[in-house]
Amino acid sequence: MANVTIRALAEIFYRASAERDVERAMSVIAEDVDWLVQGPVDVFPFLGQRHGKAAVREGYREIARKLEITGYDVEALLVDGDRAAALIRLSSIIRATGRVMSVRTSQFSRFRDGQIVEMRAVIDTYDMVEQTLGRSLGAARLDLEHVSVA
Amino acid sequence: MANVTIRALAEIFYRASAERDVERAMSVIAEDVDWLVQGPVDVFPFLGQRHGKAAVREGYREIARKLEITGYDVEALLVDGDRAAALIRLSSIIRATGRVMSVRTSQFSRFRDGQIVEMRAVIDTYDMVEQTLGRSLGAARLDLEHVSVA
């Protein structure tokens, strides 16, 4: 029973996310949520640690300012106990440049009293940065090749 | 019943992974596995797409050549239907430099006939590259700041 409920809540959250209905997605997020999207905060200010629903909402707004989301495809959604895990392909246009960005991300959430109290997200951030820049971060490759023969 | 079995198999796979018992982990992987760890293959040759168990085993060997794994902490493991999802904190020492690297990764697997036939992994790759280099990829930040005011 509890599982069915969490599955329904997770489906509401991801349907709302896919439809870019931020307020509906917010309805499933707890006031005191502990939210962490791993990634370079200095590059993408909408990443990183956020405490509380207001901070998460501001993160969503920042995303909407920077990116026009054109696709949100949930490739897998698992529910087990009080947790959900989703594998997502996110496609967007970077508003500042018009460049297309498509990245894979995963989200692990934990529910309590019908709301998300914890979120841990992992993104393929190197790919995200390269697509945003529109070029390879080739300097890193050269340095690593040097390192590997050191 | 099927779920219990997949849970047991997933637990075998992750216990073996945590214990760096590659052959035991391999016992849960199908011969024709479709394996994809998103990330910059030009930087880390053990990332990327691999077809078949032999290619995955070679990837594990490549990891062992480059990294001394010092910690493998499964922070969450979900099983649902024929799928499992794991959130992992991986700690290692980069053999070439002695630097410590700690990254979060997620793995989404699909089982068939008692073995993993599909794996999709996402890593916080930008952090992984910065930790490997031992410095910030600051050039990316500057370019993005320029982009955002363009």
Side-chain angles (χ1 to χ4, degrees):
Chain A
M1 182 59 186
N3 257 17
V4 172
T5 305
I6 289 175
R7 190 176 303 276
L9 292 167
E11 285 172 357
I12 288 170
F13 179 72
Y14 284 106
R15 198 173 313 124
S17 297
E19 291 169 357
R20 271 75 85 190
D21 185 343
V22 173
E23 281 314 308
R24 189 154 169 79
M26 285 294 136
S27 72
V28 191
I29 295 174
E31 284 298 334
D32 62 343
V33 67
D34 170 14
W35 190 277
L36 174 62
V37 185
Q38 304 265 144
V41 181
D42 51 348
V43 182
F44 300 107
F46 48 83
L47 301 179
Q49 182 100 46
R50 285 171 186 266
H51 293 288
K53 190 171 181 163
V56 172
R57 182 183 278 115
E58 179 49 33
Y60 272 86
R61 285 191 185 137
E62 179 66 19
I63 292 172
R65 278 192 288 271
K66 300 279 182 182
L67 306 176
E68 181 193 340
I69 310 293
T70 54
Y72 190 101
D73 182 22
V74 179
E75 299 176 323
L77 175 59
L78 288 78
V79 175
D80 189 0
D82 62 351
R83 291 180 184 273
L87 181 64
I88 300 151
R89 164 68 69 179
L90 183 74
S91 305
S92 64
I93 297 169
I94 302 162
R95 294 190 191 281
T97 63
R99 281 201 196 99
V100 170
M101 181 170 74
S102 173
V103 291
R104 240 190 192 132
T105 173
S106 64
Q107 296 189 332
F108 286 73
S109 50
R110 196 163 55 77
F111 288 75
R112 195 187 60 219
D113 301 332
Q115 292 193 302
I116 295 172
V117 289
E118 187 189 279
M119 173 66 84
R120 297 287 176 264
V122 182
I123 307 179
D124 181 7
T125 42
Y126 191 85
D127 188 30
M128 191 175 169
V129 171
E130 286 198 332
Q131 289 186 54
T132 303
L133 293 175
R135 64 169 174 80
S136 164
L137 290 166
R141 183 176 70 246
L142 295 175
D143 285 10
L144 282 171
E145 278 170 4
H146 180 72
V147 158
S148 67
V149 298
Chain B
M1 180 62 184
N3 256 16
V4 172
T5 305
I6 289 174
R7 190 176 302 277
L9 292 166
E11 284 172 357
I12 288 170
F13 179 72
Y14 283 107
R15 198 174 312 124
S17 297
E19 292 169 357
R20 272 75 85 191
D21 184 343
V22 173
E23 281 314 307
R24 189 155 168 78
M26 284 294 137
S27 73
V28 191
I29 295 173
E31 285 298 333
D32 63 343
V33 67
D34 170 15
W35 189 278
L36 174 61
V37 185
Q38 304 266 142
V41 181
D42 52 347
V43 182
F44 301 108
F46 48 83
L47 301 179
Q49 183 101 45
R50 284 172 187 265
H51 293 289
K53 189 171 181 162
V56 172
R57 182 183 279 114
E58 179 49 34
Y60 272 87
R61 285 192 185 135
E62 179 66 20
I63 291 172
R65 277 192 289 270
K66 300 279 181 180
L67 306 176
E68 181 192 340
I69 310 292
T70 54
Y72 190 101
D73 182 22
V74 179
E75 300 176 322
L77 176 58
L78 288 79
V79 175
D80 188 0
D82 62 351
R83 291 179 183 271
L87 181 65
I88 301 150
R89 165 68 68 179
L90 183 74
S91 305
S92 64
I93 296 169
I94 302 162
R95 295 190 191 279
T97 62
R99 281 200 195 101
V100 170
M101 180 170 73
S102 172
V103 290
R104 239 189 196 136
T105 172
S106 64
Q107 296 190 331
F108 286 72
S109 50
R110 196 162 54 77
F111 289 75
R112 194 188 59 219
D113 301 332
Q115 292 192 304
I116 295 172
V117 289
E118 187 189 279
M119 174 66 85
R120 296 286 178 264
V122 182
I123 307 179
D124 181 8
T125 42
Y126 192 86
D127 188 30
M128 191 175 170
V129 171
E130 286 198 331
Q131 289 186 54
T132 303
L133 293 175
R135 64 169 175 79
S136 164
L137 290 166
R141 183 177 69 247
L142 295 175
D143 284 11
L144 282 171
E145 278 171 4
H146 180 71
V147 158
S148 69
V149 296

Short mmCIF file of all heavy atoms in Angstrom, two decimals, chain B residues 56-111:
data_model
loop_
_atom_site.label_atom_id
_atom_site.label_comp_id
_atom_site.label_asym_id
_atom_site.label_seq_id
_atom_site.Cartn_x
_atom_site.Cartn_y
_atom_site.Cartn_z
N VAL B 56 33.33 -5.66 -21.11
CA VAL B 56 33.09 -5.10 -19.77
C VAL B 56 34.22 -5.52 -18.83
O VAL B 56 34.74 -4.71 -18.06
CB VAL B 56 31.72 -5.56 -19.22
CG1 VAL B 56 31.55 -5.16 -17.76
CG2 VAL B 56 30.59 -4.98 -20.07
N ARG B 57 34.62 -6.80 -18.92
CA ARG B 57 35.74 -7.29 -18.08
C ARG B 57 37.01 -6.47 -18.36
O ARG B 57 37.71 -6.08 -17.44
CB ARG B 57 35.98 -8.77 -18.34
CG ARG B 57 37.10 -9.35 -17.46
CD ARG B 57 37.39 -10.81 -17.78
NE ARG B 57 36.44 -11.73 -17.15
CZ ARG B 57 35.58 -12.50 -17.79
NH1 ARG B 57 35.51 -12.46 -19.11
NH2 ARG B 57 34.78 -13.31 -17.13
N GLU B 58 37.28 -6.20 -19.63
CA GLU B 58 38.44 -5.39 -20.00
C GLU B 58 38.33 -3.98 -19.42
O GLU B 58 39.32 -3.40 -18.96
CB GLU B 58 38.61 -5.36 -21.52
CG GLU B 58 39.77 -4.54 -22.04
CD GLU B 58 41.11 -4.84 -21.34
OE1 GLU B 58 41.34 -6.01 -20.97
OE2 GLU B 58 41.91 -3.89 -21.16
N GLY B 59 37.11 -3.45 -19.38
CA GLY B 59 36.89 -2.14 -18.76
C GLY B 59 37.23 -2.16 -17.28
O GLY B 59 37.88 -1.24 -16.76
N TYR B 60 36.81 -3.21 -16.58
CA TYR B 60 37.14 -3.36 -15.15
C TYR B 60 38.66 -3.43 -14.96
O TYR B 60 39.20 -2.85 -14.03
CB TYR B 60 36.47 -4.61 -14.57
CG TYR B 60 35.07 -4.39 -14.05
CD1 TYR B 60 33.97 -4.48 -14.88
CD2 TYR B 60 34.85 -4.10 -12.70
CE1 TYR B 60 32.68 -4.30 -14.41
CE2 TYR B 60 33.57 -3.91 -12.21
CZ TYR B 60 32.48 -4.01 -13.07
OH TYR B 60 31.22 -3.81 -12.59
N ARG B 61 39.32 -4.16 -15.85
CA ARG B 61 40.79 -4.28 -15.74
C ARG B 61 41.45 -2.92 -15.94
O ARG B 61 42.42 -2.57 -15.25
CB ARG B 61 41.31 -5.27 -16.80
CG ARG B 61 41.02 -6.71 -16.42
CD ARG B 61 41.80 -7.70 -17.32
NE ARG B 61 41.41 -9.05 -17.01
CZ ARG B 61 41.12 -10.00 -17.90
NH1 ARG B 61 41.20 -9.73 -19.20
NH2 ARG B 61 40.78 -11.21 -17.52
N GLU B 62 40.93 -2.15 -16.89
CA GLU B 62 41.47 -0.82 -17.17
C GLU B 62 41.30 0.09 -15.94
O GLU B 62 42.20 0.84 -15.58
CB GLU B 62 40.77 -0.25 -18.40
CG GLU B 62 41.20 1.14 -18.82
CD GLU B 62 42.64 1.22 -19.29
OE1 GLU B 62 43.21 0.17 -19.66
OE2 GLU B 62 43.19 2.33 -19.28
N ILE B 63 40.13 -0.01 -15.30
CA ILE B 63 39.90 0.77 -14.07
C ILE B 63 40.94 0.39 -13.02
O ILE B 63 41.56 1.25 -12.39
CB ILE B 63 38.47 0.52 -13.53
CG1 ILE B 63 37.43 1.13 -14.47
CG2 ILE B 63 38.31 1.09 -12.11
CD1 ILE B 63 35.99 0.78 -14.14
N ALA B 64 41.16 -0.93 -12.85
CA ALA B 64 42.11 -1.40 -11.83
C ALA B 64 43.53 -0.94 -12.12
O ALA B 64 44.32 -0.71 -11.22
CB ALA B 64 42.05 -2.92 -11.72
N ARG B 65 43.86 -0.80 -13.43
CA ARG B 65 45.19 -0.31 -13.79
C ARG B 65 45.35 1.17 -13.43
O ARG B 65 46.43 1.60 -13.03
CB ARG B 65 45.44 -0.49 -15.30
CG ARG B 65 45.92 -1.89 -15.70
CD ARG B 65 46.43 -1.93 -17.14
NE ARG B 65 45.36 -1.81 -18.13
CZ ARG B 65 44.69 -2.85 -18.65
NH1 ARG B 65 44.97 -4.09 -18.28
NH2 ARG B 65 43.74 -2.67 -19.55
N LYS B 66 44.28 1.95 -13.57
CA LYS B 66 44.36 3.40 -13.37
C LYS B 66 44.07 3.81 -11.93
O LYS B 66 44.59 4.81 -11.45
CB LYS B 66 43.35 4.11 -14.29
CG LYS B 66 43.57 3.87 -15.77
CD LYS B 66 44.65 4.76 -16.34
CE LYS B 66 44.80 4.48 -17.83
NZ LYS B 66 45.80 5.25 -18.50
N LEU B 67 43.17 3.07 -11.27
CA LEU B 67 42.68 3.49 -9.96
C LEU B 67 42.85 2.39 -8.93
O LEU B 67 42.60 1.21 -9.22
CB LEU B 67 41.18 3.84 -10.03
CG LEU B 67 40.72 4.86 -11.07
CD1 LEU B 67 39.20 4.99 -11.02
CD2 LEU B 67 41.37 6.22 -10.83
N GLU B 68 43.24 2.78 -7.73
CA GLU B 68 43.16 1.87 -6.60
C GLU B 68 41.87 2.22 -5.86
O GLU B 68 41.78 3.28 -5.23
CB GLU B 68 44.37 2.04 -5.68
CG GLU B 68 44.34 1.08 -4.50
CD GLU B 68 45.38 1.45 -3.45
OE1 GLU B 68 46.34 2.17 -3.76
OE2 GLU B 68 45.19 1.02 -2.29
N ILE B 69 40.88 1.35 -5.97
CA ILE B 69 39.59 1.63 -5.33
C ILE B 69 39.76 1.45 -3.82
O ILE B 69 40.17 0.39 -3.36
CB ILE B 69 38.48 0.68 -5.85
CG1 ILE B 69 38.44 0.65 -7.39
CG2 ILE B 69 37.12 1.06 -5.26
CD1 ILE B 69 38.00 1.91 -8.05
N THR B 70 39.45 2.49 -3.07
CA THR B 70 39.60 2.42 -1.62
C THR B 70 38.26 2.39 -0.90
O THR B 70 38.19 2.03 0.27
CB THR B 70 40.41 3.62 -1.10
OG1 THR B 70 39.79 4.83 -1.57
CG2 THR B 70 41.84 3.57 -1.62
N GLY B 71 37.19 2.76 -1.61
CA GLY B 71 35.87 2.73 -0.99
C GLY B 71 34.79 2.59 -2.04
O GLY B 71 34.89 3.18 -3.13
N TYR B 72 33.78 1.78 -1.75
CA TYR B 72 32.66 1.56 -2.68
C TYR B 72 31.42 1.46 -1.80
O TYR B 72 31.11 0.39 -1.27
CB TYR B 72 32.91 0.28 -3.48
CG TYR B 72 31.96 0.04 -4.64
CD1 TYR B 72 32.35 0.32 -5.95
CD2 TYR B 72 30.69 -0.47 -4.44
CE1 TYR B 72 31.51 0.09 -7.01
CE2 TYR B 72 29.83 -0.69 -5.50
CZ TYR B 72 30.25 -0.41 -6.79
OH TYR B 72 29.40 -0.63 -7.84
N ASP B 73 30.76 2.59 -1.63
CA ASP B 73 29.66 2.67 -0.68
C ASP B 73 28.34 2.78 -1.44
O ASP B 73 28.08 3.78 -2.12
CB ASP B 73 29.89 3.90 0.21
CG ASP B 73 28.82 4.04 1.28
OD1 ASP B 73 28.17 3.03 1.61
OD2 ASP B 73 28.64 5.18 1.77
N VAL B 74 27.50 1.74 -1.35
CA VAL B 74 26.19 1.76 -2.00
C VAL B 74 25.22 2.51 -1.07
O VAL B 74 24.80 1.99 -0.05
CB VAL B 74 25.68 0.33 -2.30
CG1 VAL B 74 24.30 0.40 -2.96
CG2 VAL B 74 26.66 -0.39 -3.21
N GLU B 75 24.93 3.75 -1.44
CA GLU B 75 24.10 4.61 -0.58
C GLU B 75 22.62 4.29 -0.72
O GLU B 75 21.84 4.53 0.21
CB GLU B 75 24.37 6.08 -0.91
CG GLU B 75 25.84 6.47 -0.69
CD GLU B 75 26.15 7.90 -1.10
OE1 GLU B 75 25.60 8.37 -2.12
OE2 GLU B 75 26.94 8.54 -0.41
N ALA B 76 22.22 3.77 -1.88
CA ALA B 76 20.82 3.36 -2.09
C ALA B 76 20.81 2.26 -3.14
O ALA B 76 21.56 2.33 -4.11
CB ALA B 76 19.97 4.54 -2.54
N LEU B 77 19.97 1.26 -2.93
CA LEU B 77 19.79 0.18 -3.92
C LEU B 77 18.29 -0.09 -4.02
O LEU B 77 17.66 -0.48 -3.04
CB LEU B 77 20.54 -1.09 -3.49
CG LEU B 77 20.34 -2.31 -4.40
CD1 LEU B 77 20.77 -2.02 -5.84
CD2 LEU B 77 21.13 -3.52 -3.86
N LEU B 78 17.75 0.16 -5.20
CA LEU B 78 16.32 -0.07 -5.44
C LEU B 78 16.17 -1.20 -6.44
O LEU B 78 16.96 -1.32 -7.39
CB LEU B 78 15.66 1.18 -6.04
CG LEU B 78 15.43 2.39 -5.11
CD1 LEU B 78 16.72 3.17 -4.93
CD2 LEU B 78 14.35 3.30 -5.69
N VAL B 79 15.13 -2.03 -6.22
CA VAL B 79 14.79 -3.09 -7.16
C VAL B 79 13.31 -2.94 -7.48
O VAL B 79 12.49 -2.77 -6.57
CB VAL B 79 15.09 -4.48 -6.57
CG1 VAL B 79 14.61 -5.58 -7.52
CG2 VAL B 79 16.57 -4.63 -6.27
N ASP B 80 12.97 -2.99 -8.77
CA ASP B 80 11.58 -2.82 -9.18
C ASP B 80 11.41 -3.57 -10.50
O ASP B 80 12.03 -3.21 -11.50
CB ASP B 80 11.27 -1.33 -9.33
CG ASP B 80 9.79 -1.05 -9.56
OD1 ASP B 80 8.99 -2.00 -9.61
OD2 ASP B 80 9.44 0.13 -9.71
N GLY B 81 10.57 -4.62 -10.48
CA GLY B 81 10.37 -5.42 -11.69
C GLY B 81 11.68 -6.05 -12.11
O GLY B 81 12.36 -6.67 -11.28
N ASP B 82 12.08 -5.87 -13.36
CA ASP B 82 13.32 -6.48 -13.85
C ASP B 82 14.50 -5.51 -13.79
O ASP B 82 15.54 -5.75 -14.42
CB ASP B 82 13.13 -7.01 -15.28
CG ASP B 82 12.79 -5.90 -16.28
OD1 ASP B 82 12.52 -4.75 -15.84
OD2 ASP B 82 12.79 -6.18 -17.48
N ARG B 83 14.34 -4.41 -13.02
CA ARG B 83 15.40 -3.40 -12.96
C ARG B 83 15.94 -3.19 -11.56
O ARG B 83 15.23 -3.38 -10.58
CB ARG B 83 14.87 -2.04 -13.47
CG ARG B 83 14.57 -2.01 -14.96
CD ARG B 83 14.03 -0.64 -15.35
NE ARG B 83 13.65 -0.58 -16.75
CZ ARG B 83 14.48 -0.25 -17.74
NH1 ARG B 83 15.74 0.06 -17.49
NH2 ARG B 83 14.05 -0.20 -18.99
N ALA B 84 17.19 -2.75 -11.49
CA ALA B 84 17.79 -2.30 -10.24
C ALA B 84 18.42 -0.93 -10.49
O ALA B 84 18.81 -0.62 -11.62
CB ALA B 84 18.84 -3.29 -9.75
N ALA B 85 18.48 -0.12 -9.43
CA ALA B 85 19.15 1.19 -9.52
C ALA B 85 19.96 1.37 -8.26
O ALA B 85 19.48 1.14 -7.15
CB ALA B 85 18.13 2.31 -9.66
N ALA B 86 21.22 1.78 -8.43
CA ALA B 86 22.11 1.97 -7.28
C ALA B 86 22.75 3.35 -7.34
O ALA B 86 23.13 3.82 -8.42
CB ALA B 86 23.19 0.89 -7.27
N LEU B 87 22.84 3.98 -6.18
CA LEU B 87 23.57 5.24 -6.02
C LEU B 87 24.82 4.92 -5.22
O LEU B 87 24.73 4.37 -4.11
CB LEU B 87 22.70 6.27 -5.29
CG LEU B 87 23.30 7.66 -5.07
CD1 LEU B 87 23.55 8.37 -6.41
CD2 LEU B 87 22.37 8.51 -4.21
N ILE B 88 25.98 5.23 -5.80
CA ILE B 88 27.25 4.76 -5.24
C ILE B 88 28.22 5.92 -5.03
O ILE B 88 28.33 6.81 -5.88
CB ILE B 88 27.88 3.72 -6.22
CG1 ILE B 88 26.93 2.54 -6.42
CG2 ILE B 88 29.25 3.26 -5.71
CD1 ILE B 88 27.06 1.90 -7.78
N ARG B 89 28.92 5.88 -3.91
CA ARG B 89 30.03 6.80 -3.66
C ARG B 89 31.32 5.99 -3.82
O ARG B 89 31.55 5.03 -3.08
CB ARG B 89 29.92 7.38 -2.26
CG ARG B 89 31.16 8.06 -1.73
CD ARG B 89 31.50 9.34 -2.46
NE ARG B 89 30.54 10.40 -2.22
CZ ARG B 89 30.66 11.63 -2.75
NH1 ARG B 89 31.69 11.91 -3.56
NH2 ARG B 89 29.76 12.55 -2.52
N LEU B 90 32.07 6.33 -4.84
CA LEU B 90 33.29 5.59 -5.17
C LEU B 90 34.51 6.42 -4.78
O LEU B 90 34.66 7.56 -5.21
CB LEU B 90 33.32 5.32 -6.68
CG LEU B 90 34.49 4.49 -7.21
CD1 LEU B 90 34.33 3.03 -6.84
CD2 LEU B 90 34.58 4.64 -8.73
N SER B 91 35.38 5.86 -3.95
CA SER B 91 36.61 6.54 -3.55
C SER B 91 37.80 5.76 -4.10
O SER B 91 37.79 4.53 -4.11
CB SER B 91 36.72 6.62 -2.03
OG SER B 91 35.57 7.23 -1.49
N SER B 92 38.81 6.49 -4.56
CA SER B 92 39.97 5.81 -5.13
C SER B 92 41.20 6.68 -5.04
O SER B 92 41.13 7.88 -4.76
CB SER B 92 39.69 5.46 -6.60
OG SER B 92 39.55 6.65 -7.34
N ILE B 93 42.33 6.04 -5.28
CA ILE B 93 43.59 6.76 -5.43
C ILE B 93 44.03 6.58 -6.88
O ILE B 93 44.02 5.45 -7.41
CB ILE B 93 44.67 6.20 -4.47
CG1 ILE B 93 44.23 6.43 -3.01
CG2 ILE B 93 46.03 6.85 -4.74
CD1 ILE B 93 45.08 5.70 -2.00
N ILE B 94 44.34 7.69 -7.55
CA ILE B 94 44.79 7.63 -8.94
C ILE B 94 46.26 7.18 -8.91
O ILE B 94 47.12 7.87 -8.37
CB ILE B 94 44.65 9.01 -9.61
CG1 ILE B 94 43.18 9.46 -9.53
CG2 ILE B 94 45.15 8.96 -11.05
CD1 ILE B 94 43.00 10.94 -9.75
N ARG B 95 46.50 5.98 -9.49
CA ARG B 95 47.84 5.38 -9.35
C ARG B 95 48.95 6.27 -9.90
O ARG B 95 50.03 6.34 -9.32
CB ARG B 95 47.87 4.02 -10.07
CG ARG B 95 46.94 2.98 -9.45
CD ARG B 95 47.20 1.60 -10.05
NE ARG B 95 46.16 0.65 -9.67
CZ ARG B 95 46.12 0.02 -8.50
NH1 ARG B 95 47.02 0.24 -7.58
NH2 ARG B 95 45.13 -0.83 -8.25
N ALA B 96 48.68 6.96 -11.01
CA ALA B 96 49.73 7.74 -11.67
C ALA B 96 50.18 8.94 -10.83
O ALA B 96 51.31 9.41 -10.97
CB ALA B 96 49.25 8.22 -13.04
N THR B 97 49.29 9.44 -9.99
CA THR B 97 49.60 10.69 -9.28
C THR B 97 49.53 10.56 -7.77
O THR B 97 50.02 11.44 -7.06
CB THR B 97 48.59 11.78 -9.69
OG1 THR B 97 47.27 11.35 -9.29
CG2 THR B 97 48.62 12.04 -11.18
N GLY B 98 48.86 9.51 -7.28
CA GLY B 98 48.65 9.39 -5.84
C GLY B 98 47.52 10.26 -5.33
O GLY B 98 47.23 10.29 -4.14
N ARG B 99 46.85 10.99 -6.24
CA ARG B 99 45.73 11.84 -5.81
C ARG B 99 44.51 11.01 -5.43
O ARG B 99 44.24 9.97 -6.02
CB ARG B 99 45.32 12.79 -6.95
CG ARG B 99 46.21 13.98 -7.10
CD ARG B 99 45.50 15.11 -7.87
NE ARG B 99 46.51 16.07 -8.30
CZ ARG B 99 47.01 16.13 -9.53
NH1 ARG B 99 46.59 15.32 -10.47
NH2 ARG B 99 47.93 17.02 -9.83
N VAL B 100 43.76 11.53 -4.46
CA VAL B 100 42.52 10.89 -4.05
C VAL B 100 41.39 11.39 -4.94
O VAL B 100 41.34 12.57 -5.28
CB VAL B 100 42.21 11.22 -2.57
CG1 VAL B 100 40.81 10.76 -2.19
CG2 VAL B 100 43.24 10.56 -1.66
N MET B 101 40.51 10.49 -5.36
CA MET B 101 39.33 10.89 -6.14
C MET B 101 38.10 10.24 -5.51
O MET B 101 38.09 9.04 -5.24
CB MET B 101 39.48 10.44 -7.60
CG MET B 101 38.28 10.82 -8.45
SD MET B 101 38.58 10.55 -10.22
CE MET B 101 38.51 8.76 -10.29
N SER B 102 37.07 11.03 -5.26
CA SER B 102 35.82 10.52 -4.70
C SER B 102 34.68 11.06 -5.54
O SER B 102 34.50 12.27 -5.63
CB SER B 102 35.69 10.97 -3.24
OG SER B 102 34.42 10.63 -2.75
N VAL B 103 33.94 10.17 -6.20
CA VAL B 103 32.85 10.63 -7.07
C VAL B 103 31.57 9.85 -6.81
O VAL B 103 31.60 8.72 -6.32
CB VAL B 103 33.18 10.49 -8.58
CG1 VAL B 103 34.24 11.48 -9.00
CG2 VAL B 103 33.53 9.08 -8.96
N ARG B 104 30.45 10.51 -7.11
CA ARG B 104 29.16 9.84 -7.04
C ARG B 104 28.80 9.31 -8.42
O ARG B 104 29.00 9.98 -9.43
CB ARG B 104 28.10 10.81 -6.59
CG ARG B 104 27.46 10.29 -5.33
CD ARG B 104 26.27 11.07 -4.92
NE ARG B 104 25.97 10.75 -3.53
CZ ARG B 104 25.65 11.65 -2.61
NH1 ARG B 104 25.58 12.90 -2.92
NH2 ARG B 104 25.38 11.26 -1.39
N THR B 105 28.26 8.10 -8.44
CA THR B 105 27.81 7.51 -9.69
C THR B 105 26.49 6.80 -9.46
O THR B 105 26.17 6.41 -8.34
CB THR B 105 28.88 6.53 -10.25
OG1 THR B 105 28.34 5.84 -11.36
CG2 THR B 105 29.31 5.52 -9.22
N SER B 106 25.70 6.68 -10.51
CA SER B 106 24.46 5.91 -10.41
C SER B 106 24.47 4.87 -11.51
O SER B 106 25.03 5.08 -12.58
CB SER B 106 23.25 6.83 -10.55
OG SER B 106 23.22 7.40 -11.84
N GLN B 107 23.89 3.72 -11.21
CA GLN B 107 23.84 2.62 -12.17
C GLN B 107 22.42 2.09 -12.27
O GLN B 107 21.82 1.73 -11.25
CB GLN B 107 24.76 1.48 -11.73
CG GLN B 107 26.24 1.85 -11.69
CD GLN B 107 27.14 0.65 -11.48
OE1 GLN B 107 26.74 -0.34 -10.87
NE2 GLN B 107 28.36 0.73 -11.99
N PHE B 108 21.89 2.06 -13.47
CA PHE B 108 20.56 1.48 -13.72
C PHE B 108 20.77 0.21 -14.55
O PHE B 108 21.30 0.29 -15.66
CB PHE B 108 19.68 2.47 -14.50
CG PHE B 108 19.19 3.61 -13.64
CD1 PHE B 108 20.06 4.62 -13.24
CD2 PHE B 108 17.87 3.68 -13.23
CE1 PHE B 108 19.62 5.67 -12.44
CE2 PHE B 108 17.41 4.72 -12.43
CZ PHE B 108 18.30 5.71 -12.04
N SER B 109 20.36 -0.93 -13.99
CA SER B 109 20.56 -2.20 -14.70
C SER B 109 19.22 -2.88 -14.96
O SER B 109 18.24 -2.66 -14.25
CB SER B 109 21.46 -3.12 -13.87
OG SER B 109 20.98 -3.20 -12.55
N ARG B 110 19.20 -3.70 -16.02
CA ARG B 110 18.02 -4.49 -16.35
C ARG B 110 18.43 -5.95 -16.42
O ARG B 110 19.51 -6.25 -16.97
CB ARG B 110 17.41 -4.02 -17.68
CG ARG B 110 15.99 -4.50 -17.92
CD ARG B 110 15.30 -3.68 -19.01
NE ARG B 110 16.07 -3.66 -20.25
CZ ARG B 110 16.12 -4.67 -21.12
NH1 ARG B 110 15.44 -5.78 -20.91
NH2 ARG B 110 16.84 -4.58 -22.21
N PHE B 111 17.63 -6.82 -15.82
CA PHE B 111 17.96 -8.25 -15.73
C PHE B 111 17.10 -9.07 -16.67
O PHE B 111 15.94 -8.74 -16.93
CB PHE B 111 17.74 -8.76 -14.29
CG PHE B 111 18.76 -8.25 -13.30
CD1 PHE B 111 18.72 -6.94 -12.85
CD2 PHE B 111 19.76 -9.08 -12.81
CE1 PHE B 111 19.66 -6.47 -11.94
CE2 PHE B 111 20.69 -8.63 -11.90
CZ PHE B 111 20.65 -7.32 -11.46
#
